Amino acid sequence: DNGQHTIYWDGRQDDGTFYTGSFNVFFDEPDPLPLHPIILVQGSLQIQNFRAQPYVIQPVLGEKVLITYSLSVPAEVTVTVKDPAGADFITLISQQMQTTGPQQAVWNGKNVGGLFPALDGAYTIEVKATDPATRLSTTRTGVVMIYR
């Protein structure tokens, strides 16, 4: 059949490891599409313009962090804050469906129980977006310094 055919491969095997060495690619004749098919094409999922500002706060003084980002396509989003040891401190957004474009979350420096951090240090802000159709995800992280 004439026409353009595009196939993407990220170089991974079925078990997730990267393929090494040479390989050959063979194509069978594709099955014809039915009359009047519906074809859905979606762009790749990206988290863009990620920022956590200010990057130094004192929660006991009422200071907050504004987390902003933009999604290239609609996605399920989770925004988590991790303490200096890497343990989850609070989840600000949990698997919430968000539309394409600018998004934001605010963190007041407290945990889910309303308590201030026990430790000063670098807290990691993690924004994870998952494509609901393919379940492929991407993650962006940033650091905010907390002083009690």
Side-chain angles (χ1 to χ4, degrees), residues 57-140:
I57 67 167
Q58 288 183 286
V60 295
L61 299 178
E63 297 176 343
K64 298 176 182 179
V65 177
L66 176 62
I67 302 155
T68 58
Y69 53 93
S70 186
L71 298 173
S72 60
V73 297
E76 283 180 11
V77 174
T78 299
V79 178
T80 307
V81 179
K82 298 180 183 291
D83 69 16
D88 287 354
F89 187 73
I90 187 170
T91 299
L92 302 172
I93 297 173
S94 180
Q95 297 178 333
Q96 181 183 79
M97 194 65 193
Q98 295 185 342
T99 59
T100 300
Q103 307 293 335
Q104 70 178 31
V106 176
W107 179 43
N108 63 5
K110 298 178 183 178
N111 67 10
V112 71
L115 301 174
F116 291 114
L119 300 172
D120 288 345
Y123 284 70
T124 302
I125 309 288
E126 179 181 278
V127 177
K128 179 180 180 182
T130 303
D131 183 312
T134 65
R135 304 310 301 163
L136 295 174
S137 64
T138 186
T139 303
R140 295 290 302 268

Side-chain angles (χ1 to χ4, degrees), residues 11-86:
R12 294 178 196 259
Q13 300 182 83
D14 290 339
D15 65 0
T17 60
F18 284 104
Y19 184 83
T20 58
S22 62
F23 59 92
N24 295 315
V25 178
F26 300 96
F27 296 97
D28 289 331
E29 183 176 332
D31 293 331
L33 292 174
L35 188 61
H36 307 296
I38 297 174
I39 300 172
L40 302 175
V41 177
Q42 183 171 350
S44 65
L45 173 59
Q46 295 178 7
I47 300 170
Q48 302 162 325
N49 304 320
F50 172 73
R51 299 216 190 295
Q53 294 178 317
Y55 65 90
V56 176
I57 67 167
Q58 288 183 286
V60 295
L61 299 178
E63 297 176 343
K64 298 176 182 179
V65 177
L66 176 62
I67 302 155
T68 58
Y69 53 93
S70 186
L71 298 173
S72 60
V73 297
E76 283 180 11
V77 174
T78 299
V79 178
T80 307
V81 179
K82 298 180 183 291
D83 69 16

